[in-house]
Amino acid sequence: MENMFRLMDQDQDLTTNRCIWVNGPVIVGAGPSGLATAACLHEQNVPFVVLERADCIASLWQKRTYDRLKLHLPKQFCQLPKMPFPEDFPEYPTKRQFIDYLESYATRFEINPKFNECVQTARFDETSGLWRVKTVSKSESTQTEVEYICRWLVVATGENAERVMPEIDGLSEFSGEVIHACDYKSGDKFAGKKVLVVGCGNSGMEVSLDLANHFAKPSMVVRSSLHVMPREVMGKSTFELAMKMLRWFPLWLVDKILLVLSWMVLGNIEKYGLKRPEMGPMELKSVKGKTPVLDIGAIEKIRLGKIKVVPGIKRFNGNQVELVNGEQLDVDSVVLATGYRSNVPYWLQENEFFAKNGFPKTVADNNGWKGRTGLYAVGFTRKGLSGASMDAVKIAQDIGSVWKLETKQPTKRSRGSLRRCISQQF
C-alpha cells in the first residue's frame, strides 16, 4: 500500500496542469500563415498567443523539405504582409533564404511562439462563449498540460500538417528503403540506385530531378493526368503572366494561351506518358485546388531518358514492383511523394465551419477565412503564400475592429499579454 501511494505521488509530480486566460486570440501554428496573422494583429495593437508543436517556426520548411528546394513563384508573390523580401534576394529564394526571411519577420513583429506545445483539443464553450484550447508539452521528466481560454481562435496549421502515407499492396514487405518525401534531403546517397518515386506533383518532379542529377535511376509513377508548365516563358514567370492576363481576358482564354506557350517551350509531353487534363490549368486550380507542376528541368531529363515515367502500381513483390500494365521493375528504394493533409479534424471539436477533410467548407466562396463564434482559418484557400497573406490581413482587421471598439485603444502598437487564471499542480 505504501508503494502504491508513493507511485501515485510520483505520477502527480510528473504532470503539471495550468489554465491561462489569453487577452486576445490564440493562433495555432507558427508557419508562414500563423506568423502573417500574428504580424497583422501586432500592427493592430491586438495581443495574441501563438502555439507551435515543433521547436521552431516554419517547421515544415526547416525540417521536412529537401535541400534543393526554392520558392516556385517569384518572391513578390510569396512575401508576407508588411515586410518584403530583401532586395538582394534572387527572384526565387532558396529554402535557407526563405527561413532566414521568416525568422527576421518574427523578430521584427515581436512574435514569440510557445514552442513544443501540441494542441490536443480545441472546443467552443457555449456557456462562457469562449474557446478552450488544451495543449501538452513534454520535457525529459515532466509533462505539462495547459488550457488556454480565449475569445478568438485562429487555425493556422495549414494544408500540409501531416504526411499522406498510401496503402500499397506489398509495400510493408518491400526489402528496400521506403521514405516519404518530407524525409528526403538529397540524392547523394542514392547514386547508382534504382529509385521509385511515387507521385508526380511538384515534389515528385523535383525529387526525380534531384535523383537524376545525382546519378540515380529514378522511375516516377504517374497515375493520373496533370498539367506541367514551364516556370518561365521568355524570361518571365508563367504565373506572373497568367495573373496579368486574367486582368484582361476570361479564364478559358488564359488557359488556352498558357497551353500554347507550354507546348512551345516543353513540346508535346503526352508522348512521355504525361497526359494533360481536359480542364485548363488555371480553371483546374480554381475549381479543384490542384496546382500545375512548374518545370525546372525534369521534362528535359524525361526526354533524355534520365527519368522514366511509369503508370500506377499494382503491388510490391520483395524488391520488385508490378505496375498496372504488367511491367515488373527492380527497385532499390522508394520515395513517397504523396503529399500532405490537414490535421484539423484530429484536434478541433467543431463541424460547422470545417469539413471532414480539414478544410473550411466555404473555401470556394472566398469566405474560408471566417467562421462563427470567433473561429478563423488562415492558409487553407489553396492559393499559396499570397492567399495566406490575404487571409491574415482580413482576420487581423476583423478582430482588430472589435478589439479597438471594445477597448477604445489608439492604433499604436504594443506587445500582447496573457494572464494565468489558474495555476496549480495536481
Side-chain angles (χ1 to χ4, degrees):
M1 183 68 70
E2 181 181 351
N3 289 338
M4 183 180 73
F5 282 116
R6 186 181 297 118
L7 181 60
M8 291 174 62
D9 289 340
Q10 289 174 352
D11 289 341
Q12 291 167 358
D13 289 340
L14 291 175
T15 302
T16 301
N17 287 19
R18 291 185 297 156
C19 177
I20 295 177
W21 163 253
V22 179
N23 195 25
V26 165
I27 303 170
V28 182
S33 298
L35 296 179
T37 306
C40 292
L41 287 167
H42 179 271
E43 293 295 279
Q44 293 278 339
N45 197 31
V46 178
F48 57 84
V49 169
V50 181
L51 304 177
E52 171 56 49
R53 65 179 177 178
D55 59 0
C56 61
I57 64 169
S59 61
L60 175 66
W61 281 86
Q62 299 216 47
K63 297 185 175 184
R64 293 187 286 164
T65 52
Y66 37 92
D67 295 341
R68 65 163 287 123
L69 180 64
K70 293 182 179 181
L71 292 179
H72 292 131
L73 303 180
K75 61 183 179 181
Q76 65 265 32
F77 296 104
C78 300
Q79 63 192 25
L80 301 186
K82 308 184 185 300
M83 182 175 148
F85 282 96
E87 291 185 3
D88 60 345
F89 272 29
E91 186 171 15
Y92 301 95
T94 65
K95 165 185 171 178
R96 183 66 257 171
Q97 288 173 324
F98 186 55
I99 292 170
D100 290 343
Y101 166 76
L102 294 178
E103 289 176 340
S104 298
Y105 191 86
T107 300
R108 174 174 173 177
F109 295 104
E110 303 178 70
I111 304 169
N112 299 296
K114 293 188 171 297
F115 294 119
N116 299 307
E117 292 212 26
C118 183
V119 175
Q120 302 297 297
T121 62
R123 67 178 181 87
F124 184 72
D125 188 330
E126 297 284 353
T127 302
S128 64
L130 299 170
W131 283 92
R132 307 177 74 97
V133 184
K134 293 183 178 181
T135 70
V136 170
S137 59
K138 296 181 180 180
S139 63
E140 293 182 0
S141 58
T142 62
Q143 174 174 293
T144 302
E145 298 177 358
V146 180
E147 182 174 47
Y148 293 90
I149 311 296
C150 58
R151 181 174 175 182
W152 298 286
L153 176 65
V154 181
V155 179
T157 49
E159 307 169 10
N160 304 315
E162 302 291 342
R163 71 186 76 181
V164 173
M165 300 294 288
E167 294 184 5
I168 304 174
D169 188 19
L171 181 60
S172 60
E173 286 80 42
F174 176 64
S175 55
E177 180 184 18
V178 180
I179 63 171
H180 191 273
C182 66
D183 297 316
Y184 177 93
K185 298 304 178 185
S186 169
D188 281 341
K189 69 174 185 177
F190 297 100
K193 293 185 178 181
K194 299 173 183 177
V195 184
L196 186 70
V197 179
V198 183
C200 56
N202 278 300
S203 293
M205 284 281 188
E206 286 203 37
V207 167
S208 298
L209 174 61
D210 190 58
L211 287 166
N213 287 339
H214 286 90
F215 307 104
K217 301 171 184 177
S219 296
M220 182 175 62
V221 176
V222 180
R223 295 187 305 164
S224 57
S225 59
L226 76 161
H227 279 298
V228 182
M229 316 289 291
R231 185 173 69 174
E232 294 183 341
V233 176
M234 294 178 289
K236 296 291 184 181
S237 162
T238 304
F239 179 79
E240 186 175 1
L241 287 173
M243 292 299 101
K244 289 181 178 179
M245 287 192 291
L246 284 171
R247 298 175 186 172
W248 303 99
F249 304 124
L251 182 63
W252 67 267
L253 181 56
V254 173
D255 272 342
K256 286 188 178 296
I257 294 172
L258 290 175
L259 291 174
V260 170
L261 292 173
S262 295
W263 183 85
M264 291 173 59
V265 176
L266 301 177
N268 179 16
I269 64 172
E270 293 201 7
K271 65 182 180 180
Y272 304 116
L274 303 171
K275 185 179 179 181
R276 289 193 182 277
E278 294 183 5
M279 194 178 291
M282 299 304 291
E283 183 183 4
L284 191 65
K285 174 67 174 175
S286 175
V287 174
K288 297 186 178 181
K290 191 173 181 180
T291 303
V293 174
L294 295 177
D295 177 62
I296 56 173
I299 296 298
E300 180 62 20
K301 293 291 185 182
I302 293 172
R303 185 179 292 115
L304 295 173
K306 303 296 184 182
I307 299 174
K308 182 178 180 180
V309 175
V310 300
I313 299 169
K314 186 174 183 180
R315 67 172 65 89
F316 281 88
N317 297 306
N319 65 342
Q320 285 192 326
V321 60
E322 181 182 351
L323 305 175
V324 292
N325 63 359
E327 184 180 358
Q328 299 271 354
L329 294 179
D330 291 324
V331 179
D332 298 312
S333 302
V334 176
V335 179
L336 300 171
T338 45
Y340 301 85
R341 63 167 175 258
S342 166
N343 68 359
V344 173
Y346 297 102
W347 57 269
L348 181 62
Q349 297 178 359
E350 187 273 348
N351 54 22
E352 181 179 327
F353 182 46
F354 276 89
K356 291 182 179 179
N357 66 354
F359 281 76
K361 297 177 180 179
T362 54
V363 166
D365 301 324
N366 293 320
N367 292 319
W369 60 276
K370 183 179 180 180
R372 293 179 61 251
T373 64
L375 179 62
Y376 297 89
V378 56
F380 290 90
T381 56
R382 292 189 172 99
K383 295 181 180 179
L385 293 167
S386 61
S389 294
M390 289 188 287
D391 290 343
V393 171
K394 294 175 184 176
I395 292 169
Q397 290 175 342
D398 199 58
I399 295 175
S401 62
V402 176
W403 175 266
K404 291 170 186 173
L405 181 65
E406 295 186 353
T407 61
K408 297 181 180 180
Q409 289 189 3
T411 58
K412 68 178 182 179
R413 293 174 294 165
S414 66
R415 288 191 177 186
S417 62
L418 55 84
R419 185 171 69 244
R420 184 181 302 174
C421 58
I422 303 172
S423 179
Q424 59 182 328
Q425 192 171 37
F426 291 88

